Amino acid sequence: MTERSPLLTYRLSSLSAEEPRQNGSVRHGKRSATRKLSTFLGVVVPTLLSMFSVVLFLRIGFVVGQSGLYETVGMLILSYFIISMTVLSVCAISTNGALDAGGAYYMISRALGPEFGGSIGIMFFLANVCGSALYILGLVEAIVDMFGFSPDQAVKNGLHVLPITYWYEFLYGTVLLLICLVVCLVGASIYAKATFIIFLVVMVVLISVFISFFAVKETVVPLPQGNTSISVNGTFTGFKLSTLKNNLYPDYSVDYTTGRMMSFTTVFAVMFNGCTGIMAGSNMSGDLKNPSFSIPRGTITAVIFTYIIYNLLSLMVCCTCERALLKYDYGFLRDINIWHPFVTIGIYCSTLSASMSNLIGASRILYALAKDELFGKLLMPAKKTSRGGNPWVSVIMSWFLVQLVLFAGKLNTIAAIVTIFFLLVYAAVGLACLALEWASAPNFRPTFRYFTWYTCILGILGCLIMIFLIQPIYASASVAFMLVLLLCLHYMSPNHSWGFISQALIFHQVRKYLLMLDVRKDHVKFWRPQILLMVSSPHNHKSLITFANDLKKSGLFVLGHVDLDELDVLPSDPLQAQTDTWLQLVDELNIKAFVNLTLSDSVRHGVQQLLFISGLGGMRPNTVVLGFYSRSAPQDLQKNEQELDTVGSFMFSSTGRRPSTTNFSPWEYVAIISDTIKMSKNVALARYFSEFDKSSVCKLRGKETYIDVWPLNLLRPDSTAYVDTCSLFLLQMACVLNMVRSWKKAKLRLFLCIEAESGLQGQEVKLKQLLKDLRIKASINTVAWDSVVALHWLKQGTVDSEAAEEVYLNFPNNSIRISEEYLEAVNQMILMQNPLSPPAVRFLYLPRPPADTAVYNRFLHQLEAVTRNLGPTLLIHGVSAVTSTEL
């Protein structure tokens, strides 16, 4: 027996990776070699550079100039509130176990399952692709602002040597993207070193920017030609109260790069791109030495630092720069710096680094998706890696998609869609953490504890509200695309043994509601069949299983099976291996059923066990369905299914032997019926269901389908009770079947057996009134059975009065006094009713087994004789009241 423990496997793998020489494991050694990055280089630096990038140097003036200081601070608070809630969720998930490549995708897929994880993984991949393109476009904008000249300019002056047209700008973006591709193809190590150098440069530039606010005196800055028709110059005033007052409130106008009117949501969409870099560190999870340690500390550090910088920079810009300068010159920080090239270098470095960060992040997500094989062969090439473990094919595929996004042309054009993609991913991370918290799974024990379920909800709501405020159409399209991906993965992706959070949540809710389901509050008005179907050979009883599934009417349905063996002589429990096969059958038949298997020395004892243990709380079987007894064991490997409706364990046992038919006698079969009734369970015996074809019920057009009900105890012709508990139960079960969608067009036929001279004609009127009171729509067919009853009474005349009295006392159902002629006559009477329109199924009254166990065999013979050649038939004995005429 193999024991599986994911945590043990992980720990052993980690030890193997640390000591590859001792165990000779090349794979573990390779994995250890690829994990090189520390917290600072692998998380803090990429996150800081991704969050600064475009907004810090190219859009801080745009945001403050359009929105004013108050709204800018409000946007920062809102943005950082959303990402802070997300960061808390990321920290919790990342410290709950071992992380691999894929960052947020890995966290979500392992928490919410492959469908949700795969769909969000694609969205996150696209977000990183579009984010990389956005930063490239921002860099192109800075380059052409510094070195470009318009086509209408006849003379190139100074540094303005680059033509500014759509295709030239696309060419510049392509060249810059190619540089990013080369760095990313070399690998994560050279990327980390390159970003560290860029980080140092950006920090130096940022310090120079803050120094410039104090060191530079009032300066008039010429605005780029054509950016505004109001003024040709903007002014850096230095710290002035009047400048601050003029910049406090919003003043939305047309964006000079796109020609579109700005608003709070459009500006927020641009500004929020400065917050989308929080996943840059988690994207590198596959390259970090200790992801669970590095991701929380590095991400939180970067978030706090950037929030402080953005607020300080916004305040200083408001105090020192006129609004015209902010709104019509996005590169104004260069013009007011103590040394102009400083900011230019900072812009180039930060945007290039952010683009590389998104490109390498996209490639790692694509590689993780390919490795998990969620999309089959579609992403198979993306699994290829270099000797150093760098997924170079994923890098090239990501680069190609970024190249396509560059056709958008302008940064502000794609800012909204990038923000929406990232917000959806953040909402999914919050949802994953929320689900883990609500599931109360014992193994959800993150070492980071500074989160609760309401921080997750606040983050999710914040993300969802903002995506629809930013751009409702893009948001709706993105959500619809994600749902389509989710459905495709649900039906097409292979199974994975990651564990499904949905199962944990379902368990949590089911346990809670089962405790609330109080059996003491049961009422007949809300009764429904809860069925335990005893099955011997499941593959030979598919028709009976699907019929019982229809009969349950949204109630409990349990497939029960008894395996004849003794645990004492076996090395392990054989039923554990069989359970998966049974569950596969449940999936194949598309039924809603549980499976209960038991091991016993006899079928009777096994059924008793199942009757005692099946169900939980208020959800326990109240009706047991047994296949009819057959004296020959079913041949599992033969196609002949004649008389296969057999209860018991007539199938290969776990030891490979087939129990003989003597292991299950007719006497034991009747004893099972008697045991079931003693335990206050209803009983149904199913015969000839190997002949039942449900498709004929569902598909036949122009031909009526009938359900025949015989509510009289045919083994007691002296009984005149049509409204006893058993008869009413019979009616209810037939009505329940008729309420099922595939049986709705079937018609109920109720057969009333009367004698011409007995004065029972009034029974028909009473029966019609009963059906009306019970709201059961059925036609009543009267059957004259004087000749049949005569055979019974003729036989009774041969028994003297003293013997008859003794018989009635010992055998209250008169089972031993019924002649073969009478049984044959009853059988023929049933067969002769409407021979041109035979029913799909018949419901017959099942008498209680005799008190004397010595006549069990005779009782079973009588049942066999009455139901011979009737086609699909249910013999039913009800012990519980199930009908109600009350509201």
Side-chain angles (χ1 to χ4, degrees), residues 39-57 80 135 191 195-196 198-200 202-203 206 273-281 297-310 349-351 353-354 357:
T39 302
F40 184 73
L41 288 178
V43 181
V44 176
V45 171
T47 305
L48 281 176
L49 290 177
S50 293
M51 295 183 74
F52 280 154
S53 62
V54 170
V55 174
L56 180 68
F57 294 116
Y80 275 83
Y135 296 129
Y191 161 75
T195 53
F196 178 65
I198 293 173
F199 171 75
L200 294 178
V202 170
M203 289 300 103
L206 188 59
N273 283 285
C275 306
T276 56
I278 60 170
M279 293 292 188
R297 289 162 178 79
T299 305
I300 292 175
T301 300
V303 167
I304 294 173
F305 183 76
T306 55
Y307 179 71
I308 294 171
I309 294 299
Y310 276 133
C349 289
S350 62
T351 51
S353 171
S357 175

Side-chain angles (χ1 to χ4, degrees), residues 207-263:
I207 292 170
S208 76
V209 168
F210 280 107
I211 292 174
S212 298
F213 287 118
F214 296 94
V216 177
K217 298 179 180 180
E218 183 172 338
T219 305
V220 176
V221 180
L223 299 179
Q225 187 175 358
N227 288 359
T228 176
S229 58
I230 300 174
S231 174
V232 294
N233 294 318
T235 305
F236 173 77
T237 64
F239 287 96
K240 284 188 178 181
L241 183 60
S242 59
T243 305
L244 174 62
K245 289 181 178 180
N246 290 334
N247 289 327
L248 290 178
Y249 299 100
D251 181 22
Y252 294 108
S253 59
V254 176
D255 170 33
Y256 73 84
T257 62
T258 61
R260 296 177 182 175
M261 185 66 187
M262 294 292 101
S263 64

